[in-house]
């Protein structure tokens, strides 16, 4: 009996490193992804071609509001937890390659265009920390000191949000408390050159960068408008766009902050969630002027363009979060609405946009839909699913 | 460029202080009624999952302040319930009146202070 169990253990050890490939077959990772099991500190590694889960990876800490970026070879996911955890997950072996806890309270991160640097946005201590993507060893620490002295004394150290990568080994992020946008340029080595843009507006809560790396846009919670930085400009400066889009009307209560990452560029338009209004804003991508609005079901959280830009899929804040709406971009009309279930938290398109995966937290499931027929194709059991991230993000700037 | 950069951190702190110090709400009849056990479980879930979007699922803070007992020790439960019901203007903290009754807000405030939100 004992010998048998030893034999079994040896068998398990021999098979485990190949587990991701089932019977040792070689496989690619371009159609893989992860689904965050928010409450359990775990991920499921999923195969988007087969529409099934390949297995779980546990031990990632507090994954509330977790997000991920991918290595250029699409083998590794870097997962950013709320508790400051930064975990490098191997999608093939479905195991943790490396894990560090780099701060007390964090909110997402980014990978540099060369794939060598991982930057993490921290609330506590406020600022951005940068790590070597291979080893997760520290490379740089950028405290978000702001105010008259810029020394961060007296608590003048800001939470940071809206961290993205930009071409040229740069990162761009926003100081929530400080109302500033900073760029950190690592093109010269491990000591970044920092540029600061001040007084961008009240309570910038999140930001996006366009896929060409040109426009960085921060949403403002404290004002009707957004802050825009043109990174292609000779001397970039922050300008207000969509100023006064709320027309000074009283805001509706916002029970969850909208997200701008995963924003929609659809053809020649951006589609953005308004704050405190049950509307999407359509913005001309060249002039950055408003060209229309779409009344929607609730406070929009994610407004994500299908990769071809023809449709935008939208989910909503509590208590209207059981619904998804689909907007036709040319006509700016809602062409489809459905109720996947209670607490729809996130959605992710397959790279060509033929299918979309939707997490339904309170129903403990992820659903997969055809984006043309709207037919449901699959349903996967996942405990309290939140973010869904596919490895194709590795090849896209700003995601 | 910013219309009023100076009020940001100051207002939220001042507004919170004002809320904590001055009882603005006249508690209606039934404010002391305990929610049913089933409703208590739903409220605890709401706090963890939905308040958790800003305050952290473990309630140790995020974009919003920490809601752990030590962070709330200096505030009366009634004052915290007012913040829940009316929000803090000028910050992302929304008013939950309409979503939550006074009794429910008070139950949440007390449970948070006792670290008893499971």
């Amino acid at each position: 009996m004992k010998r048998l169990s030893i034999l079994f253990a040896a068998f398990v050890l021999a098979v485990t490193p190949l587990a991701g490939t089932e019977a040792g077959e070689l496989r690619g990772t371009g159609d893989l992804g992860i689904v965050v099991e928010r409450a359990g500190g775990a991920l499921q590694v999923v195969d988007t071609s087969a529409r099934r889960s390949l297995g779980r990876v546990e031990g990632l800490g507090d994954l509330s509001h977790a997000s991920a970026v991918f290595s250029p070879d699409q083998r590794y996911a870097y997962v950013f937890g709320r508790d400051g955890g930064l975990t490098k997950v191997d999608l093939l072996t479905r195991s943790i390659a490396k894990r560090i806890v780099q701060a007390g309270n964090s909110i997402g991160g980014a990978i540099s265009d060369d794939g060598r640097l991982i930057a993490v946005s921290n609330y506590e201590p406020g600022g951005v920390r940068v790590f070597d993507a291979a080893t997760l060893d520290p490379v740089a620490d950028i405290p978000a000191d702001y105010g008259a002295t810029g020394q961060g004394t007296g608590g003048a150290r800001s939470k940071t949000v809206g961290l993205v990568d930009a071409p040229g080994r740069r990162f761009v992020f926003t100081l929530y408390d400080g109302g500033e946008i900073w760029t950190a340029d690592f093109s010269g080595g491990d000591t970044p050159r920092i540029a600061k843009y001040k007084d961008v507006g009240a309570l910038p809560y999140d930001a996006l960068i366009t896929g060409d790396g040109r426009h960085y846009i921060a949403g403002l919670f404290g004002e009707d408008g957004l802050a825009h930085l043109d990174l292609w400009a000779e001397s970039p400066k922050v300008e207000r766009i969509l100023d006064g889009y709320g027309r000074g009307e009283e805001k509706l209560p916002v029970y969850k902050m909208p997200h701008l990452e995963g924003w929609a560029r659809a053809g020649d338009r951006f589609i953005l969630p308004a704050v405190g209004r049950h509307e999407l804003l359509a913005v001309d991508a060249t002039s950055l002027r408003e060209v229309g609005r779409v009344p929607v079901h609730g406070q929009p959280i994610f407004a994500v363009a299908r990769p071809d830009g023809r449709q935008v899929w939208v989910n909503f804040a509590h208590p209207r979060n059981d619904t998804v709406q689909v907007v036709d971009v040319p006509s700016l009309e809602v062409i489809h609405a459905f109720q996947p279930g209670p607490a729809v938290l996130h959605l992710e398109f397959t790279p060509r946009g033929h299918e979309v995966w939707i997490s339904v937290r309170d129903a403990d499931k992820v659903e997969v839909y055809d984006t043309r027929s709207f037919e449901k194709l699959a349903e996967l059991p996942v405990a309290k699913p939140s973010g869904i991230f596919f490895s194709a993000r590795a090849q896209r700037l700003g995601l | 460029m910013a219309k009023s950069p100076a009020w940001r951190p100051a207002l939220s702190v001042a507004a919170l202080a004002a809320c904590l110090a001055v009882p603005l709400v006249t508690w209606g009849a039934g404010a002391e009624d305990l929610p049913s056990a089933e409703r208590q479980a739903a409220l605890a879930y709401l706090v963890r999952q939905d308040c958790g979007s800003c305050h952290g699922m473990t309630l140790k803070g995020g974009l919003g302040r920490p809601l752990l007992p030590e962070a709330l020790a200096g505030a009366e439960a009634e004052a915290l319930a007012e913040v829940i019901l009316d929000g803090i203007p000028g910050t992302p903290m929304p008013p939950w009146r309409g979503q939550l009754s006074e009794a429910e807000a008070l139950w949440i405030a007390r449970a948070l202070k006792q670290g008893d939100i499971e």
Side-chain angles (χ1 to χ4, degrees):
Chain A
M1 193 64 192
K2 192 173 179 185
R3 183 168 299 164
L4 200 67
S5 62
I6 289 172
L7 261 177
F8 180 70
F11 175 74
V12 168
L13 282 174
V15 167
T16 302
L18 303 172
T21 59
E22 316 223 348
E25 279 175 43
L26 294 172
R27 73 155 297 156
T29 53
D31 59 353
L32 299 187
I34 60 169
V35 180
V36 174
E37 292 191 329
R38 172 179 167 164
L43 308 174
Q44 290 202 16
V45 176
V46 295
D47 177 336
T48 60
S49 300
R51 301 187 201 114
R52 70 185 184 97
S53 171
L54 298 177
R56 297 177 86 233
V57 182
E58 297 180 351
L60 283 86
D62 177 359
L63 291 184
S64 52
H65 214 292
S67 60
V69 298
F70 293 88
S71 61
D73 64 6
Q74 296 180 244
R75 176 168 180 177
Y76 297 100
Y78 298 89
V79 182
F80 308 101
R82 172 42 72 68
D83 56 0
L86 166 59
T87 312
K88 183 177 179 180
V89 174
D90 186 333
L91 298 178
L92 280 178
T93 61
R94 298 194 295 275
S95 59
I96 293 175
K98 180 92 185 192
R99 173 174 163 78
I100 59 170
V101 176
Q102 53 82 42
N105 201 322
S106 305
I107 192 73
I111 185 166
S112 58
D113 57 359
D114 63 356
R116 305 216 177 248
L117 299 173
I118 303 292
V120 192
S121 179
N122 291 321
Y123 285 163
E124 182 54 53
V128 168
R129 285 183 171 154
V130 180
F131 301 88
D132 182 293
T135 60
L136 303 190
D137 290 339
V139 170
D141 187 12
I142 309 169
D145 299 328
Y146 70 100
T149 65
Q151 295 305 307
T153 49
R157 187 160 173 172
S158 179
K159 294 169 182 166
T160 55
V161 297
L163 169 64
V164 299
D165 62 289
R169 230 179 181 233
R170 284 179 299 168
F171 296 106
V172 189
F173 56 94
T174 294
L175 280 60
Y176 172 75
D177 310 288
E180 300 182 5
I181 294 173
W182 291 13
T183 58
D185 182 341
F186 286 84
S187 61
D190 290 349
T191 306
R193 286 197 308 274
I194 307 284
K196 303 177 182 180
Y197 304 91
K198 303 198 174 191
D199 296 333
V200 307
L203 299 178
Y205 63 91
D206 195 13
L208 64 86
I209 189 166
T210 53
D212 54 14
R214 176 170 186 175
H215 303 289
Y216 182 82
I217 298 173
L220 302 174
F221 193 89
E223 295 174 39
D224 272 348
L226 298 96
H228 167 245
L229 181 65
D230 181 352
L231 294 165
W232 285 10
E234 203 67 42
S235 358
K237 58 181 193 293
V238 172
E239 290 178 333
R240 184 66 49 86
I241 59 169
L242 299 188
D243 209 9
Y245 70 76
R247 306 184 190 102
E249 292 168 21
E250 180 100 0
K251 277 186 188 172
L252 298 167
V254 178
Y255 294 106
K256 181 172 175 166
M257 296 292 255
H259 283 245
L260 293 179
E261 192 180 299
W263 62 286
R265 165 135 187 193
D268 55 359
R269 293 168 170 175
F270 303 137
I271 310 287
L272 301 164
V275 175
R277 309 181 64 83
H278 295 179
E279 288 176 336
L280 300 175
L281 309 173
V283 183
D284 181 89
T286 308
S287 69
L288 301 178
R289 290 177 190 280
E290 181 184 328
V291 290
R293 294 181 184 213
V294 188
V296 289
H297 172 74
Q299 167 66 53
I301 297 294
F302 283 99
V304 187
R306 197 172 67 181
D308 65 351
R310 176 70 199 263
Q311 295 174 349
V312 169
W313 291 53
V314 193
N315 74 332
F316 302 97
H318 175 94
R320 314 202 72 173
N321 57 2
D322 64 342
T323 295
V324 170
Q325 287 185 322
V326 181
V327 175
D328 176 61
V329 172
S331 65
L332 291 182
E333 282 179 7
V334 174
I335 54 166
H336 185 60
F338 61 108
Q339 281 82 36
V344 173
L345 288 198
H346 196 218
L347 52 148
E348 177 91 336
F349 289 93
T350 54
R352 303 274 184 107
H354 70 304
E355 293 175 7
V356 63
W357 289 45
I358 298 177
S359 57
V360 193
R361 184 191 69 204
D362 291 352
D364 293 307
K365 66 183 178 182
V366 166
E367 298 186 337
V368 184
Y369 288 87
D370 182 294
T371 61
R372 285 185 169 73
S373 68
F374 305 123
E375 181 194 347
K376 185 158 83 178
L377 303 172
E379 198 175 294
L380 289 78
V382 183
K384 301 278 169 286
S386 57
I388 306 174
F389 305 94
F390 294 160
S391 66
R393 284 175 174 247
Q395 316 306 343
R396 291 180 60 193
L397 190 145
L399 289 181
Chain B
M1 180 163 301
K3 285 170 186 161
S4 49
W7 62 264
R8 273 173 268 126
L11 180 66
S12 58
V13 174
L16 183 63
C19 289
L20 299 183
V22 188
L24 300 171
V25 173
T26 311
W27 296 97
E32 291 294 330
D33 292 351
L34 218 52
S36 70
E38 192 181 328
R39 184 63 183 154
Q40 287 182 20
L43 292 172
Y45 187 82
L46 175 91
V47 171
R48 290 272 174 197
Q49 299 292 336
D50 292 303
C51 303
S53 324
C54 283
H55 296 284
M57 209 169 51
T58 58
L59 306 179
K60 70 173 188 179
L63 211 55
R65 293 157 48 100
L67 300 180
L68 295 170
E70 50 272 31
L72 303 177
E76 296 298 327
E78 287 74 11
L80 293 172
E82 288 175 19
V83 172
I84 294 169
L85 289 169
D86 297 327
I88 305 176
T91 79
M93 178 66 191
W96 288 80
R97 196 181 290 282
Q99 308 282 328
L100 298 171
S101 71
E102 291 182 355
E104 289 168 342
L106 205 51
W107 180 86
I108 289 171
R110 287 175 178 154
L112 284 171
K113 279 180 69 67
Q114 288 161 15
D116 198 17
I117 292 273
E118 288 311 325

